[in-house]
Amino acid sequence: MKALGIDIGGSALKGAPVDTNTGKLLAERFRIETPERLTPAQMAKAVVDIAEHFQWRGPIGIGFPGVIFGPKILTSSNLHKDFIGCDGDKLFTKATGLPVGLINDAAAAGFAEMRFGAGRGFAGKALLLTLGTGVGSALFYRGTLIPCELGHLPMKGKSAEKRVAASVKEGKDLSWEKWGHRLNEYIAILEKIIWPELIIIGGGVSAKHEKFFKYIKTRAKLVPAEFFNESGIVGAALNAEEQR
Ligand code: BGC
């Protein structure tokens, strides 16, 4: 089984065909940089460019960094505001002429990690956090996915992601220690509410987990994501396949 997975992010969109039985990419990723915030129509055109690059004719899975509510996109914290209220299903299906499955980007990443990566075979309560431009989250209990928006939990008067996203560490040039302590505070709040048994940390920083995991005190088993940069693509493809 094959699907084209596309991960829409704050600074680029990336796609590749995926073997949904193994979670492996079937070709090298194709990436389109988006230094400017693309409007929904421009984003749909970029999605078409990715499909055309692979001469794709099958199902497409798209991971989007916002709330997916039925066919609609309801939030867009780090992308163009015109996505808010936009029928994402219709937008991308019409533009590509192909069946499209839309899912939150962190939920997609969680899907991939639980099926083929750091959460493989784990049947308890798992929390995945992606630390990138924003903070994405997904919960799994006995294998069932619950997309959630824990990055917007209020912390010191603002959305938690404005304190703990990897982009904040970079933008404010925070040391690993300072940022690690912030993350620890955030995870302590999540722990009080969710009590996860396993926490998977994704996003580019997961490759450097040994620099900040030491500041995080949690009862849960804390592990880095295994997919590094590909989980969003793989999970979006898995979702497209399952929605068929
Ligand atoms: C969005 C989430 C998304 C996360 C990671 C947040 O700002 O609200 O929906 O999963 O960023 O991209």
Side-chain angles (χ1 to χ4, degrees), residues 3-242:
L4 178 65
I6 297 180
D7 184 21
I8 297 181
S11 54
L13 59 165
K14 300 159 272 184
V18 176
D19 179 331
T20 52
N21 290 322
T22 62
K24 297 259 182 284
L25 302 197
L26 295 165
E28 203 176 312
R29 291 184 314 167
F30 181 62
R31 182 182 170 100
I32 299 178
E33 301 294 331
T34 53
E36 307 286 325
R37 291 192 167 182
L38 302 188
T39 61
Q42 289 167 332
M43 189 66 83
K45 161 82 175 56
V47 163
V48 169
D49 289 346
I50 295 183
E52 279 177 358
H53 173 84
F54 294 107
Q55 299 179 340
W56 192 254
R57 306 288 345 124
I60 302 182
I62 299 180
F64 184 90
V67 171
I68 309 301
F69 200 85
K72 289 203 171 174
I73 294 168
L74 288 198
T75 67
S76 172
S77 318
N78 299 303
L79 293 187
H80 203 290
K81 295 292 167 234
D82 285 1
F83 278 108
I84 300 171
C86 157
D87 188 326
D89 252 4
K90 202 194 255 170
L91 173 76
F92 296 118
T93 307
K94 226 171 133 192
T96 57
L98 294 168
V100 170
L102 191 58
I103 184 172
N104 171 263
D105 59 349
F111 236 152
E113 288 294 337
M114 295 307 285
R115 181 82 55 89
F116 300 113
R120 193 173 51 244
F122 183 79
K125 200 196 284 178
L127 168 66
L128 170 112
L129 295 174
T130 60
L131 307 173
T133 309
V135 173
S137 52
L139 265 176
F140 290 82
Y141 184 54
R142 298 186 181 152
T144 299
L145 163 68
I146 304 172
C148 42
E149 287 288 333
L150 300 173
H152 296 285
L153 204 76
M155 222 184 139
K156 307 212 185 230
K158 43 185 159 179
S159 259
E161 72 174 18
K162 300 277 181 253
R163 288 184 55 79
V164 302
S167 60
V168 175
K169 178 188 181 306
E170 208 181 296
K172 296 208 157 110
D173 203 15
L174 301 179
S175 65
W176 287 108
E177 183 175 359
K178 179 134 203 211
W179 183 69
H181 286 305
R182 283 187 177 198
L183 206 54
N184 184 43
E185 262 179 77
Y186 173 55
I187 288 178
I189 302 173
L190 297 182
E191 186 152 46
K192 278 197 188 129
I193 307 166
I194 297 166
W195 294 88
E197 295 158 278
L198 173 70
I199 300 178
I200 304 174
I201 302 289
V205 284
S206 63
K208 300 204 172 127
H209 63 277
E210 75 292 342
K211 297 211 186 279
F212 62 95
F213 271 21
K214 55 188 164 211
Y215 303 114
I216 298 170
K217 308 278 169 265
T218 165
R219 194 174 263 108
K221 183 173 176 210
L222 183 69
V223 296
E226 282 182 13
F227 268 98
F228 189 47
N229 269 332
E230 287 168 8
S231 56
I233 295 177
V234 174
L238 291 178
N239 176 57
E241 183 60 47
E242 291 206 354

